[in-house]
């Protein structure tokens, strides 16, 4: 670029932790920092070198001499055009708790119950796990997913990890476990007994503090 770009020329797109300019966490990967402000840049340019021309009212971003983005200048903060995000990130933002509940209702009552329980507390934190459950529809179909959700509820562990494990093990249509005289399910070995014949890792009693693991696995 020409020298007229001034002191704000040639910052780099953020590359996540350890990247140039002390980059923040990955959620800002589609942004560059100009002054005290983050500006979004098309996601296909992540990791590429860009040039910036800034004035009091406008910030223009160039790649290899071509104008790729224009933002109204902001003294401090963040300006984001969601169209700059990659498709999967846009999809995540569109798949809100309301969307999840609607999709789950299409699958069946058990799937809806699983999603409701996942989103009952800390809905945004557990949103990825709910999206992960619904994402299993593509590979396994609604009928199997509904059966797996019903089984997960029956064993008292309606989480993404357990629903997925049931589907991998193919145990979603196995008979319901026997019940004791009190009417409660008599599990001698816990939920892990569902997967004894497979190589799926032992699930055990998964507690709330494993929700982060569910969320991370759901995004893979």
């Amino acid at each position: 670029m020409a020298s007229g770009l001034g002191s704000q020329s040639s910052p780099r797109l953020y590359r996540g932790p350890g990247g140039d300019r002390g980059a923040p966490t990955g959620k800002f990967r589609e942004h560059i920092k100009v002054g005290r402000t983050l500006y979004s840049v098309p996601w296909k340019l992540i990791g590429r070198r860009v040039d910036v021309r800034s004035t009091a009212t406008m910030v223009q971003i160039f790649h290899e001499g071509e104008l790729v983005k224009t933002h109204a200048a902001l003294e401090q903060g963040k300006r984001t055009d969601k169209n700059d995000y990659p498709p999967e990130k846009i999809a995540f933002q569109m798949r809100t708790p309301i969307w999840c509940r609607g999709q789950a209702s299409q699958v069946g009552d058990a799937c809806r119950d699983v999603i409701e329980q996942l989103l009952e507390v800390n809905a945004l934190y557990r949103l990825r796990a709910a999206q992960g459950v619904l994402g299993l529809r593509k590979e396994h179909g609604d009928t199997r997913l509904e059966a797996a959700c019903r089984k997960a509820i029956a064993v008292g562990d309606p989480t993404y990890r357990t629903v997925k494990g049931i589907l991998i093990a193919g145990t979603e249509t196995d008979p319901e476990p026997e019940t004791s005289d009190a009417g409660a399910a008599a599990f001698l070995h816990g939920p892990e007994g569902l997967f004894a014949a497979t190589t799926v890792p032992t699930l055990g009693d998964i507690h709330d503090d494993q929700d982060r693991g569910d969320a991370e696995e759901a995004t893979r």
Side-chain angles (χ1 to χ4, degrees):
M1 292 295 296
S3 58
L5 293 178
S7 61
Q8 296 292 354
S9 65
S10 300
R12 289 180 182 270
L13 276 170
Y14 283 142
R15 297 177 178 175
D20 290 348
R21 303 175 64 87
T25 58
K27 69 178 180 179
F28 296 122
R29 292 174 66 244
E30 300 85 5
H31 294 72
I32 58 170
K33 190 173 185 179
V34 180
R36 295 185 296 172
T37 304
L38 293 171
Y39 295 94
S40 67
V41 179
W43 67 273
K44 291 184 178 180
L45 296 178
I46 290 175
R48 305 291 183 87
R49 188 174 183 85
V50 297
D51 296 296
V52 175
R53 177 183 290 120
S54 62
T55 68
T57 60
M58 183 181 301
V59 171
Q60 294 178 308
I61 302 168
F62 299 82
H63 177 247
E64 296 182 350
E66 179 182 355
L67 178 65
V68 294
K69 197 71 188 180
T70 300
H71 288 281
L74 182 66
E75 183 176 351
Q76 182 176 354
K78 181 160 70 84
R79 285 206 184 279
T80 301
D81 180 352
K82 292 185 177 180
N83 291 322
D84 290 333
Y85 286 152
E88 62 273 14
K89 198 165 186 177
I90 295 174
F92 169 76
Q93 294 187 341
M94 292 178 62
R95 292 168 184 170
T96 63
I98 294 176
W99 180 90
C100 288
R101 290 183 175 100
Q103 293 295 305
S105 295
Q106 295 178 18
V107 177
D109 293 343
C111 184
R112 185 180 64 247
D113 289 345
V114 168
I115 297 302
E116 288 290 353
Q117 291 186 53
L118 284 173
L119 299 178
E120 186 175 7
V121 180
N122 296 328
L124 294 180
Y125 176 74
R126 303 174 79 180
L127 180 57
R128 286 191 183 274
Q131 293 174 341
V133 170
L134 294 170
L136 296 170
R137 298 176 70 185
K138 183 175 182 180
E139 180 177 356
H140 301 286
D142 287 3
T143 300
R144 290 193 64 200
L145 177 57
E146 172 71 4
C149 287
R150 188 180 303 112
K151 180 63 65 67
I153 293 172
V155 301
D157 193 25
T159 63
Y160 166 77
R161 193 173 299 179
T162 294
V163 172
K164 181 179 179 180
I166 290 170
L167 289 168
I168 292 174
T171 59
E172 72 275 2
T173 58
D174 286 357
E176 294 294 331
E178 297 179 2
T179 58
S180 66
D181 293 340
F187 298 112
L188 299 180
H189 303 290
E192 65 270 19
L194 290 171
F195 317 115
T198 73
T199 58
V200 178
T202 297
L203 299 179
D205 295 324
I206 302 176
H207 300 288
D208 287 342
D209 60 1
Q210 289 181 301
D211 289 335
R212 182 182 299 276
D214 278 359
E216 292 174 353
E217 186 175 352
T219 62
R220 293 173 187 167

